[in-house]
Amino acid sequence: MIWCILIIGILLPQSLAHPGFFTSIGQMTDLIHTEKDLVTSLKDYIKAEEDKLEQIKKWAEKLDQLTSTATKDPEGFVGHPVNAFKLMKRLNTEWSELENLILKDMSDGFISNLTIQRQYFPNDEDQVGAAKALLRLQDTYNLDTDTISKGNLPGVKHKSFLTAEDCFELGKVAYTEADYYHTELWMDQALRQLDEGEVSTIDKVSVLDYLSYAVYQQGDLDKALLLTKKLLELDPEHQRANGNLKYFEYIMAKEKDVNKSASDEQSDQKTTMKKKGIAVDYLPERRKYEMLCRGEGIKMTPRRQKKLFCRYHDGNRNPKFILAPAKQEDEWDKPRIIRFHDIISDAEIEIVKDLAKPRLSRATVHDPETGKLTTAQYRVSKSAWLSGYEDPVVSRINMRIQDLTGLDVSTAEELQVANYGVGGQYEPHFDFARKDEPDAFKELGTGNRIATWLFYMSDVSAGGATVFPEVGASVWPKKGTAVFWYNLFASGEGDYSTRHAACPVLVGNKWVSNKWLHERGQEFRRPCTLSELE
């Protein structure tokens, strides 16, 4: 009997998704233009087909009138030598020309264009990545399926709706990941929209098939049985549902013979665990991280708030900033996070983005075991690296960081430019290497990452905050600003309170660039102290 339950697994092709895959906004906008080009090509094809049918229609109308006259008096009609000649000509030549016209394929131009553009199309991996991004946003920002389906998101300019088929596809993506919590949510939404009368290519039977199995997997046998019966009302001959019905009834009958109180307790525990929808890659701090992303759980007290100030900063009497000092604001006290306002111009931002766009690729992280760069599921963005010698603007930005921080940038890593599209994120992490990762930056030969400088190069409509779960801090993106913090104490010990994350972008897109400054070259700029925590 059990095979009746499990056979639903063969309904779906094996997932091709790379863990956490997502595409940058830059590539997405290119796809918009590609699709617009294809629509134009499609309209040209439709016009060609309409012109062709118009010619055929005119020919048919002309012959319809001629043959109607001819059939009234066939002998008299062909008795006219001109009519006789034209009849021979039509049947021998013109009907062949009409046949060629009908057989002429007007789609060559469109098919050719489609074939060329197809190489830039997203694949199964991209589609699954986009679906996972939606599920990620749903969890992080506590969004219900109806809100997402109706497009009621904060800061949206172009409202869009999900059809029942779209909801069904999201449920299938969750199913392939054995994520039965989200499978149930999205299959429920698809069923609700079908019940409301939405016309769709999917039917209730298919939705109920997935939904009943997802509910069963979460331990709710009563609901699974109810949904299976509902399915059989629509399709009494459904083989799998009939098998499942017998199996569910058998299990329920068996449970009645077991100690009910103990059985109920175990069942409740199982259901509670499943219903939370805990991800396979669940982090203990995820709850704090997601609350901070929503602007909740910030731990700044009024007393501490009073000690945070705004000031003008001249870079320790740096000549470049004496007459035009930088605007500086305290974002947090421990760890000390400072925001610089109006520190990068719109023109500089556009140049940096233009330099980075052709090179954007899946962002990487340092593998602590190998010390090499690798992709990771917890970092979902596109990034590129820019050297100071490539463009005067990059060199000028690097020097600005040095002048304002007082740290030597000659040993720093190149400027990293990152683009987070919708759902793009970087889960909680440390920028510096811990003691159990002695070889993390060995290849660079410049020591550990002493500090982080982060430029915000765009505003974000909703989401995209930089959060510090250990201390309950949230820093929101603001175009033209930058934030700075030390990852290491002056003693060289790591400051574990700097563990931070880039929250998923809910609406819009996020451009940032960051500079990781290293220990080498800072010996006299930031002298070591005797205390480990100073």
Side-chain angles (χ1 to χ4, degrees):
M1 283 289 194
I2 296 178
W3 68 271
C4 295
I5 298 291
L6 300 181
I7 198 169
I8 193 171
I10 67 171
L11 286 174
L12 300 177
Q14 189 171 359
S15 173
L16 300 174
H18 185 287
F21 181 92
F22 198 70
T23 310
S24 76
I25 285 289
Q27 289 174 313
M28 298 283 273
T29 53
D30 288 342
L31 290 177
I32 291 290
H33 294 301
T34 296
E35 189 169 43
K36 175 62 178 174
D37 181 58
L38 285 174
V39 170
T40 301
S41 182
L42 180 62
K43 289 170 75 174
D44 290 341
Y45 161 65
I46 293 170
K47 180 69 167 57
E49 288 285 9
E50 287 175 343
D51 290 344
K52 171 180 158 182
L53 286 171
E54 189 62 30
Q55 289 183 58
I56 296 169
K57 184 180 178 182
K58 287 179 179 178
W59 206 85
E61 289 173 350
K62 182 183 75 172
L63 283 183
D64 182 48
Q65 185 178 3
L66 184 65
T67 52
S68 294
T69 302
T71 52
K72 290 177 182 177
D73 181 13
E75 290 186 6
F77 186 83
V78 296
H80 194 298
V82 173
N83 287 341
F85 165 73
K86 293 186 73 172
L87 177 62
M88 297 300 106
K89 178 176 174 288
R90 278 198 307 275
L91 293 173
N92 184 53
T93 305
E94 293 180 14
W95 276 98
S96 295
E97 291 173 353
L98 179 63
E99 181 184 14
N100 291 335
L101 176 61
I102 292 172
L103 293 173
K104 185 178 180 180
D105 190 353
M106 311 302 291
S107 66
D108 286 350
F110 171 70
I111 295 299
S112 176
N113 190 21
L114 183 62
T115 303
I116 293 169
Q117 300 287 7
R118 195 182 297 278
Q119 61 183 312
Y120 306 112
F121 279 17
N123 55 23
D124 291 345
E125 188 178 9
D126 300 308
Q127 184 175 332
V128 169
K132 283 184 176 181
L134 264 180
L135 301 182
R136 187 157 58 240
L137 293 172
Q138 180 182 3
D139 289 345
T140 303
Y141 296 105
N142 270 352
L143 301 171
D144 60 66
T145 53
D146 194 57
T147 297
I148 298 174
S149 180
K150 291 178 179 176
N152 295 326
L153 302 177
V156 293
K157 293 181 181 178
H158 310 285
K159 196 170 181 179
S160 186
F161 302 86
L162 290 176
T163 64
E165 185 181 3
D166 295 331
C167 297
F168 181 69
E169 287 301 319
L170 285 168
K172 282 171 65 177
V173 168
Y175 175 84
T176 59
E177 299 293 313
D179 177 2
Y180 301 113
Y181 170 73
H182 286 104
T183 303
E184 178 186 357
L185 291 179
W186 285 103
M187 291 301 173
D188 246 338
Q189 181 65 29
L191 187 62
R192 200 155 46 241
Q193 291 182 204
L194 290 174
D195 285 341
E196 290 170 359
E198 182 179 317
V199 178
S200 177
T201 55
I202 61 163
D203 54 47
K204 293 182 182 180
V205 170
S206 299
V207 176
L208 286 165
D209 198 6
Y210 279 92
L211 182 55
S212 60
Y213 182 73
V215 168
Y216 162 74
Q217 281 289 350
Q218 294 182 91
D220 193 342
L221 198 57
D222 290 335
K223 187 176 179 182
L225 182 64
L226 187 69
L227 291 167
T228 303
K229 288 180 178 179
K230 189 174 180 181
L231 189 161
L232 288 170
E233 288 176 8
L234 299 172
D235 184 2
E237 304 302 318
H238 198 283
Q239 185 177 358
R240 181 165 46 252
N242 278 299
N244 290 350
L245 180 65
K246 292 177 183 177
Y247 178 74
F248 293 153
E249 290 174 340
Y250 166 74
I251 292 294
M252 292 183 78
K254 193 175 179 181
E255 283 184 352
K256 287 180 181 179
D257 299 332
V258 182
N259 187 312
K260 196 169 189 315
S261 61
S263 176
D264 286 347
E265 185 180 344
Q266 291 175 4
S267 177
D268 289 345
Q269 290 175 355
K270 182 178 180 182
T271 303
T272 302
M273 283 293 291
K274 296 276 188 177
K275 288 291 180 182
K276 286 180 181 176
I278 295 175
V280 176
D281 59 345
Y282 180 75
L283 293 169
E285 64 192 331
R286 179 165 306 236
R287 184 171 172 274
K288 288 194 291 183
Y289 155 59
E290 292 182 345
M291 284 180 68
L292 289 168
C293 288
R294 297 191 294 269
E296 303 168 6
I298 297 173
K299 297 179 179 178
M300 178 57 69
T301 63
R303 185 175 181 180
R304 288 167 60 195
Q305 181 78 43
K306 289 179 181 178
K307 296 180 181 179
L308 303 181
F309 296 97
C310 294
R311 66 186 69 81
Y312 286 108
H313 179 63
D314 62 10
N316 296 321
R317 303 296 292 171
N318 187 295
K320 297 176 186 175
F321 294 100
I322 290 176
L323 294 178
K327 301 171 187 174
Q328 199 180 74
E329 177 187 1
D330 294 331
E331 284 281 353
W332 207 258
D333 51 359
K334 292 182 180 180
R336 192 178 183 213
I337 305 169
I338 299 170
R339 188 193 292 264
F340 291 87
H341 290 268
D342 302 320
I343 203 64
I344 184 171
S345 69
D346 289 352
E348 288 173 326
I349 287 172
E350 291 309 311
I351 289 171
V352 170
K353 285 166 62 175
D354 288 343
L355 289 169
K357 281 177 183 177
R359 299 185 230 169
L360 286 175
S361 60
R362 177 72 188 272
T364 55
V365 297
H366 266 100
D367 187 323
E369 294 183 5
T370 65
K372 296 181 179 179
L373 293 172
T374 182
T375 58
Q377 181 178 355
Y378 56 83
R379 187 175 194 188
V380 187
S381 64
K382 298 277 186 174
S383 69
W385 299 83
L386 302 180
S387 298
Y389 62 80
E390 293 183 56
D391 192 279
V393 168
V394 179
S395 178
R396 188 164 68 240
I397 287 171
N398 287 340
M399 287 310 300
R400 189 176 304 154
I401 295 171
Q402 177 168 302
D403 293 337
L404 289 171
T405 62
L407 298 176
D408 187 353
V409 296
S410 65
T411 58
E413 294 173 48
E414 294 177 344
L415 187 71
Q416 182 183 219
V417 182
N419 178 215
Y420 295 83
V422 174
Q425 64 167 1
Y426 193 174
E427 289 183 352
H429 63 282
F430 297 103
D431 281 350
F432 65 91
R434 275 73 67 213
K435 289 182 178 179
D436 58 347
E437 303 168 344
D439 298 330
F441 306 113
K442 187 176 180 179
E443 288 186 356
L444 298 177
T446 53
N448 211 341
R449 287 173 174 166
I450 192 172
T452 297
W453 178 284
L454 177 65
F455 284 111
Y456 292 115
M457 303 198 301
S458 67
D459 293 313
V460 180
S461 300
T466 305
V467 299
F468 295 74
E470 293 294 316
V471 296
S474 294
V475 180
W476 299 91
K478 183 180 179 184
K479 187 177 181 180
T481 70
V483 289
F484 172 78
W485 67 86
Y486 280 104
N487 298 306
L488 307 179
F489 293 111
S491 63
E493 291 294 319
D495 184 351
Y496 284 80
S497 68
T498 61
R499 184 170 172 83
H500 60 286
C503 295
V505 175
L506 178 58
V507 178
N509 81 106
K510 175 182 170 186
W511 282 93
V512 297
S513 57
N514 63 277
K515 194 79 171 172
W516 282 308
L517 298 108
H518 283 248
E519 290 178 291
R520 298 293 178 266
Q522 321 304 344
E523 292 84 357
F524 298 104
R525 293 172 180 262
R526 194 191 189 215
C528 183
T529 60
L530 297 177
S531 171
E532 285 189 6
L533 301 180
E534 287 183 5

